[in-house]
Amino acid sequence: YIVYFKTDKKRLSVDYPNLFEYVKDLYQMRGIGETIDFYHIKTHYFTSHPNLNFYAIVPRGDVCDFNAPHDRSRLDTKRAKRGT
């Protein structure tokens, strides 16, 4: 979307903290994270459209640690009601 629509104004890890916690939770689920190759996704995206990115420049972008602990347990309403 960045190349086509110039939608790089906000960053997942900074501007959408709740969504970032959810993404980390998903990424850490067995069978998900190990199937994702961010380098391949990003490189393919930025180099497969030469008419939009003639020099095939791949921006560095943010470095997100998807293996960092997430705080999704704070959203457990049952636990919050029990006070634990």
Side-chain angles (χ1 to χ4, degrees):
Y1 293 126
I2 294 169
V3 172
Y4 292 124
F5 305 114
K6 309 299 183 223
T7 58
D8 61 343
K9 303 282 188 225
K10 294 189 176 186
R11 296 169 293 170
L12 178 66
S13 62
V14 175
D15 300 306
Y16 301 100
N18 291 331
L19 185 57
F20 184 50
E21 296 302 316
Y22 177 62
V23 169
K24 287 191 295 186
D25 188 12
L26 290 175
Y27 183 84
Q28 294 170 24
M29 290 181 179
R30 186 176 58 219
I32 295 179
E34 59 265 19
T35 67
I36 299 170
D37 182 349
F38 285 114
Y39 175 81
H40 173 78
I41 293 167
K42 190 172 182 178
T43 302
H44 178 265
Y45 179 83
F46 283 102
T47 59
S48 63
H49 307 285
N51 57 327
L52 297 173
N53 189 1
F54 181 75
Y55 295 105
I57 297 170
V58 179
R60 186 177 345 165
D62 285 345
V63 176
C64 296
D65 184 3
F66 292 99
N67 287 306
H70 57 79
D71 66 349
R72 301 253 311 142
S73 62
R74 71 179 166 81
L75 302 176
D76 184 350
T77 57
K78 292 176 186 174
R79 181 177 293 155
K81 289 179 184 176
R82 290 192 311 258
T84 59

